[in-house]
Amino acid sequence: MTPEQRRKNKRVGIGFLVIVVALFAWTVGRQVMKIYFS
Amino acid sequence: MSSVTVDHVPGKAHDHSHDHEHAMPHGWRRWLFATNHKDIGTMYLIFSLVMLFEGGALALLLRTELFEPGLQFFQPELFNQFTTMHGLIMVFGAVMPAFVGFANWMIPLQIGASDMAFARMNNFSFWLLPVAAILLTASFFVPGGATAAGWTLYAPLTMQMGPGMDLAIFAVHIMGASSIMGAINIVVTILNMRAPGMTLMKMPMFCWTWLITAYLLIAVMPVLAAAITMVLTDRHFGTGFFNAAAGGDPVLYQHIFWFFGHPEVYIMILPAFGIVSAIVPAFARKRLFGYASMVYATASIAILSFIVWAHHMFTTGMPVTGQLYFMYATMLISIPTGVKVFNWVATMWRGSMTFETPMLFSVGFIFVFTIGGFTGLILSMAPIDIQVHDTYYVVAHFHYVLVAGSLFALFAGAYYWMPKWTGRMYDERLGKWHFWMSMISFNVTFFPMHFLGLAGMPRRYADYAAQFADFHMIATIGAFWFGLSQLIFVWVIVKSYSGKGEPAPAKPWEAAEGLEWTVPSPAPFHTFETPPVVK
């Protein structure tokens, strides 16, 4: 694996990690809004 | 798959193990600190086999209690714990890790990559699993025992459980984290590390199905993690998300769970489609019929899986318009699934077929999975589903899909690629015994459950009315027969790994296609360090 490929992998991997964290936060956040603020 | 011809295979220049002895750790370090995709794949496969037997043992305990009406061996509380743990272990411990094991072993070999994109994360993904398995299994021994809320972990049952529930939540969190990391690894490997010339539409179907499955995992595992985190905060930190008395809504949990749960069903079956799509052409000696339509059908199934979740909840009291929407949307899934079954049959049509064990399991898969698909279509109809909701009809349906579907495809794939993994041919006679014993006993176990369900036998009950006795007795006999049949598989593996079979050539199946057959058997520790050029 070339260093360039390693960097590219890391970039795409972190992108997906952000999606995962956002989905988790969105699911909990949505329920908080629904149960406590509606 | 489109025809793949390899210009040269530089990986072959590195076939001799002495070239890389320095890079291959020995002893326990090889496994604990493993970063090699083949070693990690092997560990995943062994782990999932162990969990298959643990989950299977729990199933046999259930069937033992159900052999006759009345309570003979276990109180209902313990029976419910067995039911829950059987489901959790089979879904998160056996089926999912087994497919990840296949992905680890085969995806880099099939796309011409030297390893997975994140080798150390791959190690972490695997080693989380035994920790989760220990947590789950240990939960039987805490006060109150293991969780008995069912594998769906519905509120408000989850509010009523002892500390075993918390252990299960942590275990599912850990297994979820492992799955997410595994999925990111697979997506990045496939997107970034394909050999030159290996375009997406030249990839083997197994890689395609796993790519789509990995996207599903990334999209739904965080939702499950969020749901069980809220269960945890409801239990211990004073929130009331799913507690009606505190202003929450237990049905909300069901919506969140099934938003994960339905795609999860496809997470457990799409890679199976990929395995069967590799095997059927190899043993029919024809190209896969409709490669592009297979790719689009897989993607369609994945997209539809996000918009049908409430068909698991027809009895929760949703408006008729909601029922109609979820009913019709669910029926739509039969179209891409039908495309797949049609394509497999069309691949076999007028092919020069032979029926070695991988093909037997694949044809068995198509036949029996289709029965599970049809009962799924029947269950998609709200008026019928309301009648048979939570009955053995549902149990029969999802075991036809998960056992005869996922598990049979896993067996097919194991026999197909075992020569590549071990360097030895498996024992064909034992393989055929394994298939026929499994196929017959599976149907003896689960076919009568359709009748039980239609007659009104509820699922997750330790006792039942005398009218159900005969079918339950048959199912229990079949279950023990099926369980014992799996010992043949262990015997086949042990024989093959202990070097007792005939040495396997690089390509043991004459019509098999793909880069994995261009490297020797067993696959060397390092392959494709210089990527092959695919034309």
Side-chain angles (χ1 to χ4, degrees):
Chain A
M1 210 187 306
T2 61
E4 176 51 34
Q5 196 166 32
R6 216 179 284 272
R7 269 195 296 277
K8 199 175 155 197
N9 286 349
K10 203 178 268 183
R11 218 168 32 238
V12 180
I14 288 170
F16 279 111
L17 193 63
V18 169
I19 295 173
V20 166
V21 173
L23 278 168
F24 181 92
W26 179 77
T27 310
V28 176
R30 201 165 154 265
Q31 308 326 313
V32 169
M33 295 306 288
K34 207 166 184 169
I35 303 292
Y36 293 103
F37 296 101
S38 65
Chain B
M1 149 187 177
S2 305
S3 175
V4 170
T5 51
V6 184
D7 196 16
H8 65 283
V9 185
K12 277 192 168 176
H14 302 274
D15 292 342
H16 306 291
S17 56
H18 61 262
D19 285 350
H20 290 285
E21 250 167 32
H22 62 280
M24 181 175 160
H26 292 282
W28 59 272
R29 280 187 181 80
R30 174 177 173 185
W31 304 103
L32 188 62
F33 303 128
T35 50
N36 182 287
H37 71 100
K38 301 178 189 88
D39 282 355
I40 294 175
T42 302
M43 290 198 291
Y44 264 110
L45 292 172
I46 293 170
F47 172 81
S48 61
L49 191 65
V50 171
M51 296 310 280
L52 180 75
F53 277 94
E54 185 180 341
L58 290 169
L60 292 184
L61 291 176
L62 298 173
R63 289 311 323 170
T64 305
E65 177 55 53
L66 292 167
F67 186 63
E68 283 183 336
L71 294 176
Q72 281 85 30
F73 299 99
F74 311 115
Q75 290 304 304
E77 292 78 11
L78 186 58
F79 183 91
N80 287 346
Q81 292 176 27
F82 289 160
T83 311
T84 303
M85 297 298 275
H86 164 72
L88 286 174
I89 286 170
M90 287 304 201
V91 169
F92 294 106
V95 176
M96 288 172 71
F99 282 124
V100 181
F102 273 81
N104 259 289
W105 248 105
M106 301 319 302
I107 287 175
L109 284 179
Q110 289 191 325
I111 62 171
S114 57
D115 207 308
M116 298 293 281
F118 305 110
R120 287 191 185 85
M121 191 170 83
N122 206 11
N123 172 293
F124 189 47
S125 297
F126 170 74
W127 281 110
L128 283 176
L129 287 179
V131 176
I134 290 166
L135 268 181
L136 261 186
T137 309
S139 71
F140 273 116
F141 305 103
V142 299
T147 173
W151 86 277
T152 50
L153 306 176
Y154 272 6
L157 290 171
T158 42
M159 301 297 127
Q160 300 158 3
M161 299 285 146
M165 185 69 235
D166 302 314
L167 295 188
I169 289 172
F170 289 136
V172 175
H173 266 139
I174 293 169
M175 289 188 284
S178 165
S179 289
I180 289 168
M181 287 191 284
I184 291 176
N185 216 342
I186 287 167
V187 175
V188 178
T189 303
I190 293 177
L191 292 185
N192 284 355
M193 297 187 63
R194 297 190 313 279
M198 176 62 80
T199 59
L200 283 175
M201 289 309 271
K202 276 188 186 166
M203 279 199 311
M205 271 310 294
F206 180 66
C207 298
W208 255 116
T209 53
W210 241 118
L211 177 65
I212 292 166
T213 301
Y215 274 111
L216 285 182
L217 275 167
I218 291 167
V220 299
M221 290 310 291
V223 176
L224 173 71
I228 57 174
T229 303
M230 286 185 275
V231 170
L232 195 69
T233 60
D234 275 8
R235 281 171 57 81
H236 296 293
F237 302 108
T239 59
F241 291 112
F242 309 127
N243 182 357
D249 182 1
V251 178
L252 189 63
Y253 174 84
Q254 295 189 27
H255 279 290
I256 304 172
F257 179 84
W258 285 113
F259 183 80
F260 146 81
H262 199 76
E264 170 69 13
V265 172
Y266 296 102
I267 286 164
M268 291 190 285
I269 201 66
L270 292 181
F273 290 168
I275 292 173
V276 171
S277 300
I279 294 171
V280 169
F283 293 91
R285 290 160 182 80
K286 275 176 69 189
R287 287 269 180 75
L288 181 66
F289 183 89
Y291 170 83
S293 68
M294 284 295 224
V295 172
Y296 298 134
T298 309
S300 306
I301 292 171
I303 292 164
L304 287 171
S305 76
F306 284 109
I307 56 167
V308 297
W309 76 90
H311 67 216
H312 297 269
M313 303 167 53
F314 280 142
T315 56
T316 55
M318 71 180 80
V320 172
T321 44
Q323 291 188 9
L324 283 173
Y325 161 73
F326 283 107
M327 182 170 104
Y328 291 133
T330 304
M331 287 175 178
L332 274 181
I333 297 179
S334 63
I335 297 171
T337 313
V339 167
K340 284 189 162 290
V341 173
F342 178 87
N343 285 353
W344 291 321
V345 175
T347 305
M348 287 188 274
W349 177 252
R350 303 185 79 175
S352 301
M353 292 167 68
T354 51
F355 292 95
E356 287 87 347
T357 310
M359 185 62 161
L360 282 177
F361 269 109
S362 297
V363 176
F365 164 93
I366 296 169
F367 183 68
V368 193
F369 170 80
T370 305
I371 296 176
F374 275 130
T375 54
L377 201 52
I378 291 165
L379 285 168
S380 74
M381 289 175 238
I384 298 178
D385 182 85
I386 289 165
Q387 294 299 315
V388 293
H389 182 86
D390 263 351
T391 69
Y392 264 67
Y393 193 86
V394 179
V395 178
H397 157 69
F398 69 72
H399 281 91
Y400 266 77
V401 176
L402 275 177
V403 180
S406 306
L407 189 63
F408 277 19
L410 284 164
F411 287 145
Y415 283 106
Y416 183 59
W417 283 307
M418 206 182 293
K420 187 58 60 192
W421 299 341
T422 66
R424 298 279 167 170
M425 296 305 289
Y426 62 86
D427 186 325
E428 189 62 51
R429 194 175 52 90
L430 283 179
K432 287 198 163 83
W433 268 99
H434 177 219
F435 169 73
W436 285 110
M437 289 293 104
S438 298
M439 187 64 162
I440 297 168
S441 60
F442 166 80
N443 281 290
V444 172
T445 310
F446 293 105
F447 206 74
M449 291 187 188
H450 292 106
F451 305 131
L452 281 171
L454 290 172
M457 170 74 207
R459 65 190 285 203
R460 295 171 175 157
Y461 273 35
D463 193 7
Y464 51 84
Q467 72 194 73
F468 303 121
D470 291 346
F471 283 134
H472 267 304
M473 195 176 281
I474 294 168
T476 298
I477 292 167
F480 275 88
W481 183 2
F482 186 80
L484 289 174
S485 305
Q486 304 324 307
L487 298 179
I488 305 174
F489 184 55
V490 177
W491 189 9
V492 170
I493 295 172
V494 170
K495 268 187 89 170
S496 189
Y497 266 93
S498 57
K500 284 194 177 136
E502 276 178 44
K507 186 176 161 184
W509 316 115
E510 58 169 335
E513 276 195 25
L515 289 177
E516 73 265 39
W517 307 113
T518 62
V519 300
S521 301
F525 195 65
H526 295 290
T527 38
F528 301 132
E529 284 174 289
T530 312
V533 178
V534 178
K535 282 189 171 172

